[in-house]
Amino acid sequence: MLSVCHYFHVHQPRRIKRYRVFDIGRDHGYFNDATETDLNNRRVLAKVAGKSYLPTNQTLQDLLQRHPEFTFSFSFSGVLLDQLEENFPEVLDSFKRLIATGRVEILADTHYHSLAFFYSLPEFERQIELHERTIRRLFGVVPKVLRNTELSYRNDLATWAEAHGYIGIMAEGWDHALASRSPNFLYRPPGCKKIKVLLKNYRLSDDVAFRFSERSWKGWPLTAPKFAEWVNAHHGDGQTVNLFMDYETFGEHQWEDSGIFHFLSALPGELLKHPDTVFKTPSQTAAAYEPVGEIDVPYILTWADTERDLSAWVGNDIQRSAIAALYALEEEVLHTDDAKLIEDWRYLQTSDHFYYMCTKWFADGDVHKYFNPYQSPYDAYIAFMNVLSDVKLRLQKERTRQTRRSPRMSGNRRERAVISN
Amino acid sequence: MFGWEFPPYNSGGLGVACSGLARALAKENVDILFVLPKHINIAEPSVRFLFAGIEQVAFKGVRTGLTPYRTAAEYSRWRSGEGDIYGENLFSEVLRYAALVRKLIEGEDFDIIHAHDWLSFPAGIEAKRISRKPLIVHVHATGFDQGGGEHADSRVYAIEKEGMEEADAVVAVSEYTRRMIIERYHIEEKKVHVVHNGVDVDFHTAEGGSYQNGVGPLPLKIPGYKIVLYVGRLTLQKGPDYFLRAAKRVLDENPKTFFIIAGSGDMERQMIRLAAEIGIAENVFFSGFVRGADLERLYRAADLFVLPSVSEPFGITPLESLLADTPVLISKQSGVSEVITHALKVDFWDTEEMANKIISVLRYPPLKKQLSRSGKEEAQKLTWGKAAEKCVMLYHRILAELRITN
């Protein structure tokens, strides 16, 4: 038996508008760009929903109906769900219909699509919990398998996940970590007893996500029978082929005219032509197989670039200084009782903000540039830092207000605030 | 090669570019004969010079010398109806230069003629007519740049257009300029080639010593105060007025900032008046034209260099600034913005955004650090050697095409 495990990552950030020095102290709406540019979050989401989410949801809904054996999973960022609830309830409903079939699993994630695990464990835990609450409220299910932002992974994250009851955790099936072993098996993190690591088969995943419409690629044109053949070739030397990709692959990164929807629509049928191929969700996969060995990842592993590390997010000075400045405010922000301020601070943690400041390959103008709504990484940094200056001003005001209200209680403020959180 | 000026006797980037390219070509084993209109003493052993000797004839009594650009004094005369924006007698000198070509090139052996900017185009055309050798005209700036982007002096335009049409190939210093040549001079696309300028890693020593061996740091370098620098002629094309408007906005937020304006030109008095009018005169310093070690000292003292040009064919000064470890903010309407990615960029007219970016560099030290470090690495790769290689390839191509047609 060989199972195929799909998860689709659904995320759109709240991009920071062009926020100038002169806006500091005057404008607290950081994410409400209303221009005709890609900084207008509502506009981008409307476009992505129309080109990708809605038609792909429809395709998947049909597939669930056509193939009783078909199943898959989603990883939603809370940032996306917030935006759908606010502005696109009909799109959210279409996702809800898929989950309501009972055959679509949802993965655990950080609500704000943040890198909090590597900067503040308490904040990471709060965001995991917040995400879980959101998923339960919107879809009535509880995630059992963890996928951290940008597929970032490290031994201690697995240890944390096991201690918090997760049965599986996702990671990139990167060759260096595997040391020439196959990503198509389950592995055990060092020191863990129960939790299993599901590794992304990045070659097959990226054939669809990145190369599907690349005419210079030798695999082009990629058809469902051809791809099913590649997957089924792993019978006998694997337990599961994990195909992890961005949901926007369908219709947004790979346009409709590339034939991507036909591909998706035909794929399950083609895979099922092999009598021993089955579909499993991540938790089913984790329950079905035993790990074949240990995978030791003492350093941060992600999906990105040839480095597969965090360098696309915190690889240069401006990125590192921006994220450090943000997390330095944690204690003070959480001690205010200003829910809006806390929420804004958390939206600033979304990893995309730091990705936009990436200068790696900047001169070559590749994928980083394609996904950057700012004209330059420096523009992204300036907007971010100006917003952070405004957050600091709001904190200052809050401090003055609190001192004025109850000067004698200021010593107890910390205690009260921790409880209220 | 026909030029007009050469360091240290230059009033702007044209001379710097000619010298950088000529020296790099010499390193590529190209035997260069560099023709200039006026006799000057140049210590450049790799290039042989010829001088048309115009100064003894037409420039008797003209103190300002042979310059394509006007000074404030000339500008005020022009305003009162005497002379024009290109300086008195300039057009007659340009034609006189051409008229002297036959005598100059007599007995000289060369394969190709390479003329820099409209000032030397008539001389280049004349040389082609006499020798029947191919002509390349090299466009460092067009009349539209000098006219602030939208207008060009009709006499300059006519000379430029004739040069481009007569030439076997046109070299533009940027894609920005190439587009201008194609769209405004209606020159065939395939005839126009981009050769980006380079920068001398030791640009300061090329013009007379490094400041580190001489004078100390700038007196304006006061703890707690930041310095923003402008280097360039004070003329419409360079956008000094936009720089001052942005400075005003910066000072509203960051009063502890000094602005240094290094350069002279027809707008000098107007700029001094403007600084006073908008109430920032105390923070703006006009240093006049600066070169060599003094210029390097300014670059090094500054926290940010700004190129606010309205229309800049290339712009070497930001590269010099980066080599001196100072980050740059450059106009999007410039050729240099095509070759430097680690720079802040802004539309020259958007003074609000210009101020936003200036303040950001002054406020966020990691931004300054990364822009200067990564920008310097980028600038160091932009050598004149690369520009020379492209020119040599073009020479070979043109000579090969010529052999086929003959």
Side-chain angles (χ1 to χ4, degrees):
Chain A
M1 186 173 71
L2 179 74
S3 49
V4 175
C5 176
H6 283 291
Y7 93 68
F8 303 114
H9 179 52
V10 201
H11 165 63
Q12 285 295 321
R14 284 194 198 261
R15 298 161 195 84
I16 298 171
K17 69 182 175 188
R18 194 157 82 146
Y19 190 94
R20 290 172 168 171
V21 170
F22 312 109
D23 300 319
I24 299 170
R26 297 178 189 116
D27 180 0
H28 309 315
Y30 310 142
F31 313 105
N32 60 0
D33 182 288
T35 64
E36 293 297 304
T37 70
D38 281 348
L39 289 175
N40 180 336
N41 296 311
R42 200 171 165 158
R43 182 175 171 272
V44 173
L45 191 46
K47 188 182 78 177
V48 172
K51 281 172 70 179
S52 171
Y53 298 169
L54 289 172
T56 316
N57 282 358
Q58 189 55 55
T59 306
L60 290 171
Q61 193 89 47
D62 295 345
L63 282 169
L64 287 168
Q65 209 155 33
R66 215 177 331 142
H67 303 288
E69 311 89 333
F70 183 56
T71 183
F72 63 92
S73 67
F74 278 127
S75 96
F76 291 108
S77 78
V79 185
L80 171 88
L81 294 173
D82 288 351
Q83 293 183 81
L84 290 184
E85 267 196 284
E86 224 174 277
N87 297 317
F88 303 92
E90 71 287 359
V91 181
L92 185 58
D93 285 344
S94 127
F95 279 112
K96 281 180 179 170
R97 281 194 293 278
L98 282 167
I99 316 298
T101 62
R103 286 157 56 198
V104 180
E105 186 172 318
I106 300 178
L107 303 179
D109 229 310
T110 58
H111 190 93
Y112 292 92
H113 200 266
S114 73
L115 299 169
F117 183 78
F118 308 104
Y119 291 87
S120 162
L121 185 61
E123 175 61 15
F124 169 77
E125 293 181 334
R126 286 186 287 263
Q127 290 191 18
I128 290 281
E129 198 191 316
L130 199 56
H131 184 263
E132 188 175 311
R133 257 188 277 159
T134 308
I135 296 298
R136 197 182 315 175
R137 176 171 59 82
L138 295 176
F139 304 107
V141 297
V142 179
K144 286 190 250 174
V145 173
L146 176 67
R147 173 215 168 269
N148 195 26
T149 310
E150 313 296 1
L151 208 51
S152 56
Y153 179 91
R154 200 169 59 189
N155 286 341
D156 53 345
L157 179 69
T159 311
W160 180 91
E162 177 167 275
H164 288 78
Y166 294 98
I167 61 167
I169 182 166
M170 305 303 202
E172 176 78 5
W174 187 230
D175 308 56
H176 299 296
L178 279 164
S180 77
R181 292 173 296 173
S182 159
N184 304 327
F185 291 93
L186 298 190
Y187 291 88
R188 178 88 74 207
C192 289
K193 296 202 167 50
K194 287 182 282 186
I195 199 165
K196 294 159 187 173
V197 185
L198 278 74
L199 297 170
K200 171 176 155 190
N201 185 315
Y202 71 85
R203 288 189 182 85
L204 287 168
S205 299
D206 295 351
D207 283 342
V208 180
F210 298 160
R211 291 181 280 273
F212 186 80
S213 49
E214 196 180 299
R215 284 164 183 261
S216 58
W217 173 47
K218 65 177 172 14
W220 189 88
L222 185 59
T223 60
K226 192 195 283 185
F227 189 72
E229 196 181 304
W230 294 349
V231 171
N232 283 330
H234 292 288
H235 272 282
D237 76 339
Q239 299 163 328
T240 174
V241 174
N242 299 321
L243 301 175
F244 303 167
M245 58 197 73
D246 284 349
Y247 204 37
E248 294 84 5
T249 296
F250 306 98
E252 168 67 20
H253 301 166
Q254 311 297 339
W255 295 355
E256 188 183 355
D257 62 13
S258 70
I260 191 76
F261 289 113
H262 293 296
F263 173 83
L264 178 62
S265 178
L267 186 60
E270 288 298 328
L271 285 167
L272 289 168
K273 278 184 182 167
H274 192 294
D276 271 341
T277 300
V278 298
F279 289 98
K280 285 191 193 300
T281 66
S283 66
Q284 289 166 349
T285 308
Y289 306 106
E290 280 310 308
V292 297
E294 189 179 274
I295 186 159
D296 185 18
V297 185
Y299 45 82
I300 300 173
L301 181 68
T302 73
W303 66 266
D305 303 338
T306 47
E307 294 92 338
R308 296 297 203 277
D309 59 9
L310 273 186
S311 57
W313 294 273
V314 290
N316 67 31
D317 286 340
I318 55 173
Q319 291 172 311
R320 281 189 293 267
S321 76
I323 201 163
L326 179 70
Y327 281 102
L329 301 179
E330 175 177 355
E331 199 177 306
E332 211 178 335
V333 168
L334 294 178
H335 290 174
T336 67
D337 40 22
D338 184 341
K340 184 77 180 70
L341 179 58
I342 294 172
E343 189 183 59
D344 282 343
W345 174 72
R346 287 188 165 143
Y347 277 129
L348 292 175
Q349 291 181 44
T350 302
S351 61
D352 304 65
H353 302 311
F354 308 101
Y355 191 79
Y356 300 146
M357 301 175 198
C358 178
T359 48
K360 240 196 325 179
W361 323 116
F362 171 35
D364 308 331
D366 75 337
V367 56
H368 291 275
K369 201 166 173 182
Y370 177 81
F371 289 113
N372 198 340
Y374 299 90
Q375 289 186 348
S376 114
Y378 297 108
D379 288 6
Y381 174 81
I382 289 172
F384 185 92
M385 292 307 286
N386 286 342
V387 162
L388 207 60
S389 301
D390 188 67
V391 167
K392 284 183 193 165
L393 270 188
R394 287 163 71 188
L395 277 173
Q396 214 167 41
K397 268 192 196 146
E398 186 68 18
R399 222 162 27 222
T400 333
R401 203 175 59 84
Q402 285 186 356
T403 325
R404 210 179 295 135
R405 200 177 46 189
S406 54
R408 272 170 301 171
M409 280 187 66
S410 56
N412 295 328
R413 214 175 65 208
R414 175 167 309 187
E415 219 169 307
R416 280 190 299 119
V418 169
I419 293 161
S420 73
N421 274 291
Chain B
M1 235 172 220
F2 288 91
W4 191 259
E5 55 173 37
F6 211 88
Y9 302 90
N10 62 308
S11 57
L14 175 61
V16 177
C18 286
S19 122
L21 185 63
R23 286 195 292 160
L25 280 168
K27 273 189 202 145
E28 296 278 320
N29 294 321
V30 178
D31 192 5
I32 295 179
L33 179 61
F34 206 104
V35 187
L36 286 165
K38 177 185 173 181
H39 190 275
I40 47 179
N41 293 316
I42 304 166
E44 183 49 69
S46 62
V47 178
R48 191 158 70 89
F49 289 90
L50 272 183
F51 305 103
I54 287 178
E55 68 279 337
Q56 289 100 2
V57 195
F59 273 71
K60 211 179 265 176
V62 179
R63 276 171 298 125
T64 47
L66 199 57
T67 164
Y69 313 121
R70 299 184 59 93
T71 62
E74 282 174 330
Y75 180 73
S76 59
R77 280 205 297 280
W78 174 63
R79 287 283 294 253
S80 58
E82 322 160 30
D84 58 62
I85 192 154
Y86 283 98
E88 291 158 63
N89 296 324
L90 187 61
F91 289 94
S92 58
E93 295 323 318
V94 166
L95 298 177
R96 187 161 176 76
Y97 186 16
L100 291 166
V101 161
R102 179 179 286 277
K103 222 176 87 191
L104 276 170
I105 63 171
E106 213 164 67
E108 298 289 350
D109 183 28
F110 51 89
D111 303 306
I112 212 154
I113 306 154
H114 191 146
H116 295 277
D117 262 7
W118 69 276
L119 297 152
S120 74
F121 286 0
I125 294 170
E126 185 64 9
K128 178 179 175 168
R129 210 180 52 78
I130 297 164
S131 65
R132 295 168 191 264
K133 301 286 186 189
L135 169 68
I136 293 175
V137 298
H138 198 127
V139 182
H140 296 262
T142 70
F144 289 98
D145 300 312
Q146 268 133 23
E150 288 309 312
H151 308 282
D153 183 287
S154 61
R155 295 160 300 175
V156 173
Y157 180 83
I159 294 174
E160 286 174 325
K161 193 161 170 23
E162 194 193 354
M164 295 172 194
E165 283 167 352
E166 293 295 321
D168 298 84
V170 180
V171 170
V173 292
S174 62
E175 187 57 35
Y176 176 79
T177 297
R178 181 172 177 264
R179 292 312 324 165
M180 209 176 257
I181 290 167
I182 292 163
E183 280 156 24
R184 306 216 172 172
Y185 296 84
H186 314 292
I187 304 300
E188 260 187 296
E189 293 214 11
K190 62 171 197 215
K191 194 171 143 180
V192 193
H193 308 267
V194 175
V195 175
H196 285 115
N197 283 343
V199 64
D200 268 315
V201 178
D202 54 350
F203 70 93
H204 42 82
T205 44
E207 295 201 357
S210 167
Y211 93 97
Q212 278 152 342
N213 312 323
V215 277
L218 209 68
L220 281 176
K221 197 79 187 154
I222 303 167
Y225 278 79
K226 304 285 187 179
I227 297 176
V228 181
L229 178 64
Y230 168 102
V231 176
R233 273 179 297 116
L234 298 182
T235 187
L236 191 66
Q237 176 199 350
K238 302 284 179 178
D241 41 339
Y242 295 99
F243 181 71
L244 285 183
R245 303 264 174 213
K248 165 75 179 151
R249 289 297 278 143
V250 171
L251 288 166
D252 289 345
E253 301 285 326
N254 274 37
K256 288 184 165 183
T257 311
F258 291 132
F259 294 85
I260 300 179
I261 294 187
S264 60
D266 56 71
M267 280 170 79
E268 192 166 345
R269 289 175 193 181
Q270 191 190 333
M271 287 303 97
I272 294 170
R273 269 201 309 274
L274 178 62
E277 262 168 42
I278 58 180
I280 60 170
E282 277 183 34
N283 292 66
V284 180
F285 299 85
F286 291 85
S287 73
F289 184 77
V290 175
R291 70 162 78 240
D294 286 336
L295 180 57
E296 195 205 348
R297 193 160 71 125
L298 282 183
Y299 282 134
R300 290 204 180 274
D303 294 279
L304 178 68
F305 173 90
V306 180
L307 179 90
S309 295
V310 171
S311 181
E312 187 69 68
F314 188 78
I316 292 180
T317 46
L319 303 183
E320 294 179 345
S321 174
L322 287 171
L323 290 177
D325 301 298
T326 295
V328 299
L329 165 57
I330 55 186
S331 157
K332 288 182 189 171
Q333 289 70 32
S334 72
V336 70
S337 70
E338 296 163 18
V339 294
I340 292 287
T341 52
H342 293 283
L344 297 178
K345 296 175 189 178
V346 66
D347 289 305
F348 71 88
W349 44 263
D350 194 351
T351 53
E352 193 82 357
E353 181 63 10
M354 203 184 286
N356 176 46
K357 287 187 162 144
I358 293 171
I359 294 169
S360 296
V361 172
L362 304 185
R363 259 189 208 177
Y364 310 129
L367 180 61
K368 182 187 165 189
K369 193 174 137 201
Q370 189 172 308
L371 279 170
S372 54
R373 200 186 44 208
S374 304
K376 183 178 188 175
E377 283 169 18
E378 231 176 341
Q380 281 169 333
K381 290 180 196 149
L382 299 169
T383 60
W384 280 112
K386 272 192 193 159
E389 275 172 36
K390 281 192 195 165
C391 285
V392 170
M393 268 161 57
L394 185 62
Y395 294 163
H396 284 305
R397 200 159 113 195
I398 285 174
L399 292 172
E401 277 167 18
L402 209 69
R403 273 194 294 276
I404 292 163
T405 40
N406 289 345

